[in-house]
Structure formats: structure tokens, C-alpha cells
Amino acid sequence: MSAAHIPVLLHEAIAALGEIHGQLVADGTLGGGGHTRALLAAGAQVVATDWDAAAIAAAQAWAPTYGAQLELYHAPYSDLPTILGVRRPMGVLLDLGFSSDQLDDPARGLSYQLAGPLDMRLNSTQRTTAAEILNSWREEALADLFYYGAEELKARPLARLIVQTRKAKPYTLTTDFLATIEAIYPPRLGLKRAHPAARLFQALRVAVNDELTILEAALRGCAAQLAVGGILAVITFQPNEERLVKKVFRELCVDTLDPVGRVAAVANFKQGKKLMAGKAELALNPRARSAILRTLQRTHE
Ligand SMILES: C[S@@+](CC[C@H](N)C(=O)[O-])C[C@H]1O[C@@H](n2cnc3c(N)ncnc32)[C@H](O)[C@@H]1O
């Protein structure tokens, strides 16, 4: 059953952006518009993107209420610097991943718990689907995908089994991939552990949409675009995203040293405190469990 998306770390993310009344703020991940509407309510001028045409179409129903206070773009968030052009935002928000509405839609093939086509594309005009990756990547590439993308210790036997299985019958459905995973990890009744298919499906989704490459470009591009004093706030949901955000933020906050180790140029950015959901939010929305909010502020030109 599809649950409407509940915005994660909503108050924390808006508060982390500081005083935004009358300021330009970009929301790179419009989704169901939870964060976007809170930004609008706080009086920000908002530029919002989403790479899923359905999210943009749904927002078009309520966007006119806000008139020129809201601009919508069907685009990846890595395009924000191009969309903004000469405009320098005081805030940029990225609430990563997919919304509950997308994850619970069987036609997208994102959930191992729902039978559907092995598609997983965020943007339906893109060519590569999850089925194409499973049916065409070399065994070593598949093993790397699951080892590095899902920290899967049985990545090699899994990749070998995928290659054997697809010779007999190409992958087309989520249930085909689940059957392969369960041949490696037979389900055990009563076991409380998370099903390995959750992280393996997620790693496949990240590869289909080239999510980490796009995220890195967006982090660097949006940080560079910020006005002095402006804040980039990012909510991550999985270890790979979290590691990347941490690495890029850390790099942007390092001073440049001269050959004898003295500070030649002070970094243009500083990091804020890392935040996670509190008990009250977790009780209402278990999906917030893995969410981490990080912020980066531009301190110099
Ligand atoms: C977690 S949801 C955002 C939910 C939203 N903050 C809300 O409160 O309803 C993430 C959204 O980001 C979008 N998205 C994912 N990757 C994207 C990308 N590379 N560029 C633009 N949008 C993206 C997804 O389509 C999804 O709608």
C-alpha cells in the first residue's frame, strides 16, 4: 500500500538554513513538496527541481497558489547552478533518495517487497534500467556494484549466479532478482534481521540513476553558487551518500597551505553540526531512522 511521503527532519532542515525570509532558496528535491512548502511558508523565494516528471506534475496542482514565489524545473539537482545562472542563493536543500510514493509504486520496481518490472529509473527518458544492468554487465562489474554499493560480502557468488541465471532467462521482474538473492541468502523464518534484498535493490537503484556522480557534481556546484553566508543543507539516507557528503564538505573546509605549511588561503566554507531525527519523529516516521542532516556555510567569497 502506498503511504504519502512524510518530510524527514523538516523543522531541523528549515531551521538549519537560518533566516530565509525574503531570500532565494533552492530545493533540489521537490518530491511531495513538504520541504518546499515549509520554505515558502517561511517567506523564501524558492527555485525547486525534481528529476521525476511525476513530482513536478503533482506540484503543478498547488504551485499557482504561490505565484512568482515558486519556480519549478524538471531537472536533475546537478543542474541547479545552470538554472540559477547569476542568482546566488542563501540556501540550498537536498533531501536525497526517493520519496515513499516512489518507493511504494510497484511500476517503478524499487522495492523487493513489491512485484513489478525491474525498471528503477528516476527519469523515464533515461535508457538504462535495472534489468539492463543485470542482463548486460560483466560478472566483475556486477560484483563491484554490490560489494562497493551495498557492502555485500557475498558479492562474487551473487554476481556469478546472476550471470548463470540470465543465460537461461533474462531478468525482467523484481521477483526474478529477489529469487536470485534468496538463492544466496535463503529466507529464515522468525529472523528479525533486515532482508539483504533491501540494500542490494538500493545499490542497483543507485547504479541505474548514477546517483553518486550526480550528487558529487551537485554538492560542488551548489556550494560554489551560494551567496556569502548562504547554507547548503543535505539529508542523506544511506552510507554511500553520507560518506560522499562528508568527504566533499570536509574537502571544501580545508585551508590552502603554502610549501612550508602556513595558511596561504583560508577555506571559503565551514561545516555545521550533524543532526539526526529525535525520538518523537522516529515514532511517527520510521523512515527517518537512517537520516542524517549535514550543513555547509559559505563564509568568504
Ligand atoms: C526524499 S524525496 C524528497 C521529498 C521532499 N523533500 C518532500 O518533503 O516531499 C527525494 C526527491 O528527490 C528526487 N530526486 C532524486 N534524485 C534526484 C536528482 N538527481 N535530481 C533531482 N531530483 C532528484 C526524487 O524524484 C524525489 O522526488
Side-chain angles (χ1 to χ4, degrees), residues 3-301:
H5 184 82
I6 305 173
V8 172
L9 291 168
L10 179 64
H11 304 293
E12 291 83 351
I14 306 301
L17 292 174
E19 183 44 68
I20 53 170
H21 188 91
Q23 303 287 352
L24 177 65
V25 176
D27 182 351
T29 49
L30 168 75
H35 288 93
T36 300
R37 272 186 276 214
L39 294 169
L40 291 162
Q45 172 74 34
V46 181
V47 170
T49 59
D50 204 295
W51 198 211
D52 179 7
I56 298 291
Q60 265 149 3
W62 52 264
T65 323
Y66 296 94
Q69 198 191 345
L70 172 63
E71 297 168 38
L72 296 176
Y73 295 90
H74 177 217
Y77 43 59
S78 49
D79 279 5
L80 273 172
T82 312
I83 290 167
L84 292 167
V86 296
R87 295 185 290 174
R88 311 266 311 262
M90 277 307 279
V92 176
L93 175 64
L94 299 176
D95 173 23
L96 301 178
F98 283 54
S99 65
S100 311
D101 309 73
Q102 292 166 322
L103 295 168
D104 296 344
D105 178 357
R108 290 182 178 268
L110 292 163
S111 169
Y112 74 92
Q113 290 166 312
L114 300 169
L118 261 176
D119 187 314
M120 298 195 177
R121 288 169 304 168
L122 177 59
N123 169 32
S124 57
T125 64
Q126 171 197 314
R127 266 195 48 232
T128 310
T129 63
E132 275 169 44
I133 289 183
L134 293 183
N135 290 326
S136 68
W137 280 25
R138 290 191 357 258
E139 186 177 320
E140 301 74 51
L142 288 169
D144 283 354
L145 188 167
F146 295 116
Y147 182 74
Y148 294 108
E151 296 170 2
E152 175 51 62
L153 297 177
K154 298 189 184 184
R156 292 209 168 278
L158 175 65
R160 201 172 312 129
L161 187 57
I162 292 170
V163 170
Q164 276 168 18
T165 308
R166 76 192 185 196
K167 280 188 194 141
K169 181 181 169 290
Y171 285 89
T172 55
L173 302 171
T174 51
T175 43
D176 299 337
F177 185 34
L178 181 62
T180 303
I181 296 168
E182 291 191 336
I184 298 275
Y185 284 105
R188 291 196 204 139
L189 285 179
L191 206 66
K192 280 259 166 73
R193 242 190 12 218
H195 197 301
R199 58 191 163 78
L200 295 167
F201 267 63
Q202 182 168 276
L204 185 54
R205 182 205 92 193
V206 168
V208 167
N209 297 295
D210 204 7
E211 290 177 35
L212 298 178
T213 312
I214 294 177
L215 175 59
E216 178 154 11
L219 293 173
R220 295 189 188 281
C222 291
Q225 190 82 18
L226 285 174
V228 174
I231 292 170
L232 168 59
V234 185
I235 304 172
T236 61
F237 290 89
Q238 38 148 324
N240 280 340
E241 292 169 342
E242 164 58 11
R243 266 196 295 274
L244 179 60
V245 174
K246 203 163 131 182
K247 169 178 148 299
V248 172
F249 279 15
R250 198 186 289 142
E251 283 172 14
L252 289 171
C253 292
V254 172
D255 296 337
T256 310
L257 301 182
D258 69 10
V260 290
R262 284 175 311 207
V263 176
V266 176
N268 292 336
F269 299 93
K270 70 170 190 204
Q271 287 200 66
K273 257 191 16 219
K274 164 178 141 178
L275 285 177
M276 296 176 76
K279 277 196 187 134
E281 176 166 5
L282 291 177
L284 288 173
N285 185 10
R287 191 173 171 264
R289 205 179 34 229
S290 50
I292 297 178
L293 170 68
R294 286 186 182 272
T295 54
L296 180 82
Q297 181 169 34
R298 184 171 198 113
T299 49
H300 300 77
E301 196 51 68

